[in-house]
Every structure is written in C-alpha cells, then in structure tokens.
Amino acid sequence: MTSNTLADFELKEIVVDGYERVVEVQEESSGLHVIIAIHDTTMGPALGGLRICPYESCQEALEDVLRLAEGMTYKSALVEAGFGGGKSVMLADPARHKSRGLLRRYAEIVNGLEGVYLCGKDMGVSCDDLSYIREHTPHVAGAVGAQGSGDPSPFTAWGVFQGIQAAARWLWGSPSLEGRKVAIQGLGGVGMRLADFLFWAGAELIVADIDESRVEQARQLYHAQVVRGGEIFGAEADIFAPCARGGILDAETVERLRCQAVVGGANNQLADPSIGVRLHERSILYAPDFVANAGGLLNGAAEFEPEGYNPSIARAKVDQVGEALYSIYERASREGRATSDVAMDLAHQKLKAREGARRYPVYYH
Ligand code: NAI
C-alpha cells in the first residue's frame, strides 16, 4: 500500500462556489491529468466513480466532474447511503492511454486525500483497474476479490427493475410486468441485465444499441424487437428505460416519447430540469435517475460496513429503491409537481436535517 501525501504532488486547488474542495493534478513526467471534485460531505465521506474520458478541453472535464459530483451528493442523500458526493475524471483516452502507471499515480492522489474521497467505477474504468488502484489505496469501492464488491451493474439493474415494478404498481395497480412492453436504450452492464430481469418477469422488449452484437444477443436470448438509433424514443412501449448515455431527453426527444413512464439506469437523463416538468405536463411518469440507479452506489457503500461486504445485505438495501420511487410518485401526485423536482427537494431536505448521515466510521477490510 502506498504511503504518500498530497505534498508529493503539484496540486492545484480550484475554488468553486458550493463545492468543498476541487483539486487538479497535471504532471508532465507521468502524463497524468486528473480533477477530483468533493461536493459535499455532510452525510459522510465523498463517494463517486472515476471516469476516464478523452475530454476536448479542461473546461469540459471540469464541468463534467462538477455536475457528476453534485449528483452523487443528492443520490447518496436520498437513499441514505451514509456517504457524501464526489467524483473524479482523468483526461485520457481509456482505449489508448490508460496504463498501470497512470492508475497508480491516480491511486496515490486518492490516498493523499486520506479518506475524504473514495473512488469507484465509471466510464472507461474496469473492475480490474479498480483492483489495481486498490493495491495502492484502501479508499476504493468496487474492486474484485475478497475486499471488494465487484461490478455494481447487476445491483444497479436490479434497482431499476424495482423502479419499473413500482411504476407499474402506480400506473396500473399491480407490479406485474406480464405482457408489458419495455424499450431499453443501451445494452451494456446495466441494460442487458435489466433485459434479463424483464424477460423473466414476462415483459416484451424493444431494444437499441450502437453495438450490433449486443442487440443481436438480446434478440436471440429475449426475443427482443430491435430498433435503430433514435427510433427507440418513439417506440410504442409502456415504459422507456434509458441505459446508455446521459442528456438524452431534451426538448426534441421528450416530444417523441409514446410511453407512459421513463425508468432507466443512465445518469443525468434530463438535458435540463425543464424536461422533468415537460414529462409531468405530458403525463409521463418519470423515475428520477439518481434514485432509480442508486443500486450500484448502495452495493459499493456496503463494503465499508463494520461486518464487511455482504451481497445479501446490499441486495436488501437495493430492494428499497422501488419504495423510495413509489413515495416520490405519490408525493409528486399529491403536490401536482414533477417527480424530478420532488426528488431534488427531498434530497435537499435530508441534507439540511442530516437525515441518514453516517453515524459510525467507514470500515476498511
Ligand atoms: P456500459 O458502457 O456497460 O453500457 C452502455 C451501453 O450503451 C453500451 O452497450 C453502448 O454500446 C450503448 N450505447 C452507447 N451510446 C448509445 C446510443 N446512442 N444508443 C444506444 N446505445 C448506446 O455502461 P453501464 O455500466 O451499463 O451504464 C449505463 C448507464 O448507467 C450510464 O449512463 C452509467 O453512467 C449509468 N450508471 C451505471 C451504473 C453501473 O452500476 N454500471 C451505476 C449508476 C449509473
């Protein structure tokens, strides 16, 4: 394990209003360029993934890490994960530039933050990468092996599935998905697993992915109907489940939807908050993404419990995602407001009251 401090790095502090700490490290010698944003630690140490992405500019990377770190604060607060919000980005092409050397230097910075920030998996990072980072710092969730909880995707997908059942219960009076049509955009770690859960629950699937092999797999395994590209937005389905990139619901795509509910795993599905209001106006039930996809976070957080990681305990926590969403649907209906606005209010209320804040230390095993 590494025993370095932040003094070993040429570190730049970036002052950002509303954020507790934002640090940037750019090293000529190793080629490392990283920004770590700690948004809020009211509820506990900041927990959030590392994203490795070939950003066009430093500004773009900064905006991404700030938005993602803030989102983690609300996600963690709402499901009472006992963590705060943070995120990190590495400016690099994961396919061409990711190396053990860079991951090690990154791990050393995380280590130097002494547990105020814990990193996990995001785009461009594999579970094996996390396991390597874990060799150099304990402040990691989602490594594989005895200490880690591994790939969070099945837990995220299970939470989304719970959210879909809750939407069915709200809309049609029963959680049964027998014969319901669900359109899934993106068949990766989350989307493909969700397709599996839905198939076995009796749902009919419509799928889209830019990766031909994945749609072919879904067609063969689940008898899914395949649509191309943007056609998924206008698919005649009961539920639309975005499980690919963020920002996909904008002023144009929101008008094309023909579903009764949107429940998916993708982060930051709404291009801006007005889209949540538009969904409400169109009477399309929206499961706020940061609640629907909280399963992976709850699973990673379970590693730091006193008794160590136990997948059954993690599953029991993820099982509560459906109820959390159902109560948001109820409150939004009572108040005649968009579910996205209600979820944000709830997160702010919990943060203000420190409801669900960590009451015991983070345990490293
Ligand atoms: P992934 O990288 O395994 O899968 C994404 C899939 O989307 C790939 O199959 C890709 O080909 C497809 N895709 C990309 N652009 C597309 C497009 N325009 N149209 C259709 N398909 C497209 O990612 P993963 O892990 O499944 O995550 C999916 C989403 O869920 C992401 O937004 C991620 O940030 C979010 N998320 C994932 C969590 C997890 O546990 N993996 C936890 C919380 C959020």
Side-chain angles (χ1 to χ4, degrees):
M1 197 72 56
T2 313
S3 61
N4 59 287
T5 70
L6 285 185
D8 300 335
F9 293 89
E10 262 190 56
L11 188 127
K12 183 171 130 195
E13 302 275 352
I14 306 174
V15 180
V16 184
D17 209 22
Y19 287 74
E20 289 181 15
R21 193 170 186 193
V22 182
V23 295
E24 179 179 13
V25 173
Q26 188 166 13
E27 285 184 333
E28 226 169 272
S29 52
S30 67
L32 180 75
H33 191 178
V34 152
I35 309 175
I36 300 180
I38 296 164
H39 176 249
D40 189 298
T41 56
T42 305
M43 300 300 214
L47 175 61
L50 162 68
R51 176 172 287 191
I52 304 182
C53 182
Y55 293 102
E56 304 249 315
S57 66
C58 195
Q59 186 57 29
E60 189 194 356
L62 181 63
E63 282 169 16
D64 204 30
V65 76
L66 294 179
R67 191 174 46 88
L68 290 163
E70 185 180 358
M72 288 306 295
T73 298
Y74 304 136
K75 184 188 298 204
S76 228
L78 223 149
V79 297
E80 300 187 6
F83 282 94
K87 204 87 183 182
S88 44
V89 293
M90 189 185 289
L91 291 82
D93 181 343
R96 292 167 55 216
H97 303 127
K98 190 166 72 179
S99 69
R100 292 239 147 165
L102 286 185
L103 293 175
R104 181 177 178 150
R105 285 303 273 169
Y106 167 77
E108 288 168 354
I109 300 169
V110 172
N111 206 45
L113 287 166
E114 297 177 331
V116 178
Y117 168 71
L118 293 90
C119 77
K121 186 172 160 336
D122 199 272
M123 275 157 48
V125 175
S126 69
C127 293
D128 285 343
D129 295 336
L130 283 183
S131 301
Y132 181 71
I133 292 170
R134 181 73 176 74
E135 288 175 23
H136 302 284
T137 177
H139 311 301
V140 180
V144 280
Q147 295 148 325
S149 56
D151 182 8
S153 308
F155 288 81
T156 304
W158 184 245
V160 175
F161 180 72
Q162 301 289 316
I164 291 178
Q165 285 188 316
R169 185 150 66 92
W170 177 255
L171 290 170
W172 309 303
S174 157
S176 169
L177 298 172
E178 189 72 47
R180 293 287 173 198
K181 281 193 180 168
V182 183
I184 306 176
Q185 181 188 43
L187 294 164
V190 176
M192 193 65 91
R193 190 64 77 119
L194 177 66
D196 192 67
F197 295 147
L198 288 166
F199 173 77
W200 288 105
E204 290 175 28
L205 302 180
I206 305 169
V207 299
D209 197 296
I210 47 173
D211 183 332
E212 276 302 316
S213 66
R214 291 174 192 249
V215 286
E216 185 52 28
Q217 191 182 340
R219 198 182 60 74
Q220 278 186 9
L221 286 177
Y222 311 124
H223 194 59
Q225 179 192 336
V226 176
V227 295
R228 303 284 159 211
E231 280 175 36
I232 196 81
F233 292 106
E236 253 187 77
D238 297 299
I239 292 185
F240 173 47
C243 296
R245 295 175 21 240
I248 46 107
L249 288 174
D250 58 24
E252 190 259 320
T253 52
V254 76
E255 304 303 334
R256 283 158 61 191
L257 296 177
R258 292 160 86 182
C259 56
Q260 293 186 57
V262 176
V263 189
N267 272 317
N268 303 319
Q269 291 163 29
L270 309 182
D272 65 73
S274 74
I275 306 298
V277 176
R278 184 63 193 138
L279 284 164
H280 171 66
E281 286 167 358
R282 288 204 57 207
S283 300
I284 296 174
L285 184 70
Y286 174 64
D289 49 21
F290 63 86
V291 188
N293 69 18
L297 163 71
L298 287 166
N299 187 50
E303 280 183 35
F304 305 99
E305 290 297 307
E307 64 277 10
Y309 176 65
N310 177 335
S312 303
I313 293 176
R315 181 185 56 193
K317 291 201 170 163
V318 181
D319 274 341
Q320 291 164 18
V321 166
E323 273 316 306
L325 284 168
Y326 195 85
S327 61
I328 289 170
Y329 303 153
E330 275 182 326
R331 180 167 160 184
S333 162
R334 232 178 15 248
E335 297 177 2
R337 299 166 65 208
T339 51
S340 46
D341 289 347
V342 167
M344 280 303 289
D345 281 2
L346 265 173
H348 281 298
Q349 276 166 20
K350 283 185 188 260
L351 279 162
K352 203 167 162 204
R354 301 192 77 247
E355 192 186 327
R358 174 165 291 277
R359 302 209 194 294
Y360 48 89
V362 166
Y363 284 82
Y364 293 96
H365 300 280

